[in-house]
Amino acid sequence: MSSPPEIRVYPSPEDLAGSAALRIAGFLSQAIYARGFCTLLLSGGSTPRAVYERLAQTASGQGHDWSKVHLFWGDERCVPPDHPDSNYDMARRALLSQVPIPDVNVYRVDAEHGPEQAASHYEADVRAFFSRRAVDGAEMGVFDLVLLGLGEDGHTASLFPRSPALLERQRWFAGVEHDRPPPPLVGRVTATLALINAARQVIFLVVGKNKAEIVRQVLTGDSNPPLPAQLVQPDHGYTLWLLDASAALSLPSDQT
Ligand code: 6PG
């Protein structure tokens, strides 16, 4: 049974980014202490950029051992890795280029070859990683930390409302023929709920007044069918929502 989500509200996006970076760095350090390495599934979109930039500063200041951090993506758009819409490109600029993480520890989604083929290839790469690390105590598909954003329609990663990918219970990644807003209107690769809900810790990063209503629906509503973000309920892990004051505007006071 999943624990109820914890919610933290910050005065500004900058305060959220600073605190999120400290929480992420601390959680990765705990995982490294426990198992000798850590696995992080990165979120795409624009919100995490400031968090990744602060994480690079925070972790480096703490002497973080990046050789023990393994980075993956929770979703990717089917565009080249140097495309402005690439989630890899955003993380490369904000984080990867700022820290001494070995290239072999960065598992990019090879998304240029279309959603389904890219999802299958990526899943094979991720499964191979966990198989190799099983001797070190890695549990198949159990990420130490999953970072997620929230779209105004309640999507998370690239799990959109009414998407068949929401029903996937075996595969860890699925191809999404994405043809609706939000842009970019290209195919995507997304982690499935089967993978996301296996994680030890999930952190949602949400800022902006434009997200206030969907945050209220996700955290207090009883949408039918449930919104994709409402289906993130880690089987054995914890969910933490980090919101700025604008995104939390419509939440009942007893929830903030
Ligand atoms: C993506 C993201 C997506 C994102 C939300 C919020 O690739 O687009 O994974 O789920 O997190 O759409 O995006 P913003 O942070 O830009 O508001």
Side-chain angles (χ1 to χ4, degrees):
M1 180 66 187
S2 182
S3 309
E6 181 185 349
I7 302 169
R8 288 283 179 272
V9 180
Y10 297 88
S12 69
E14 294 73 22
D15 291 319
L16 182 150
S19 177
L22 285 169
R23 287 174 181 269
I24 294 166
F27 200 81
L28 296 181
S29 297
Q30 285 173 19
I32 291 170
Y33 178 76
R35 284 174 293 284
F37 68 98
C38 63
T39 52
L40 174 55
L41 200 68
L42 293 174
S43 171
S46 58
T47 301
R49 182 182 293 111
V51 176
Y52 297 165
E53 290 168 346
R54 295 293 291 273
L55 178 60
Q57 298 158 12
T58 302
S60 302
Q62 293 174 346
H64 210 66
D65 184 351
W66 285 96
S67 70
K68 295 178 177 173
V69 180
H70 299 268
L71 292 183
F72 304 78
W73 274 260
D75 74 324
E76 184 56 281
R77 295 87 176 272
C78 292
V79 294
D82 58 356
H83 190 284
D85 290 331
S86 163
N87 289 335
Y88 166 81
D89 188 59
M90 183 273 277
R92 181 183 62 77
R93 293 170 185 274
L95 178 60
L96 306 184
S97 59
Q98 307 301 314
V99 297
I101 186 167
D103 291 346
V104 292
N105 287 27
V106 177
Y107 294 77
R108 185 181 72 83
V109 183
D110 190 5
E112 301 88 289
H113 305 300
E116 273 308 322
Q117 185 178 355
S120 298
H121 286 181
Y122 198 53
E123 175 153 342
D125 290 346
V126 178
R127 284 183 182 273
F129 168 85
F130 278 99
S131 297
R132 285 195 302 275
R133 302 303 298 233
V135 292
D136 303 319
E139 296 171 66
M140 280 304 278
V142 179
F143 277 86
D144 291 304
L145 179 56
V146 172
L147 300 179
L148 293 173
L150 178 68
E152 293 184 48
D153 60 355
H155 81 260
T156 192
S158 285
L159 295 166
F160 293 92
R162 296 176 297 285
S163 166
L166 290 168
L167 306 175
E168 181 57 60
R169 289 292 179 268
Q170 301 303 318
R171 294 175 61 190
W172 290 358
F173 293 91
V176 176
E177 296 297 342
H178 185 60
D179 56 5
R180 292 167 294 130
L185 301 184
V186 295
R188 296 182 179 212
V189 173
T190 186
T192 62
L193 291 166
L195 185 64
I196 293 169
N197 284 336
R200 291 189 174 87
Q201 173 85 49
V202 175
I203 297 181
F204 279 92
L205 303 167
V206 191
V207 303
K209 192 161 52 175
N210 63 313
K211 301 288 177 72
E213 174 52 24
I214 194 64
V215 164
R216 184 195 65 77
Q217 289 181 42
V218 168
L219 291 178
T220 67
D222 51 2
S223 304
N224 185 19
L227 294 163
Q230 289 177 306
L231 298 173
V232 173
Q233 300 176 15
D235 305 320
H236 308 290
Y238 298 92
T239 304
L240 171 62
W241 285 77
L242 302 184
L243 309 170
D244 77 334
S246 300
L249 265 179
S250 303
L251 282 180
S253 54
D254 64 351
Q255 276 209 286
T256 58

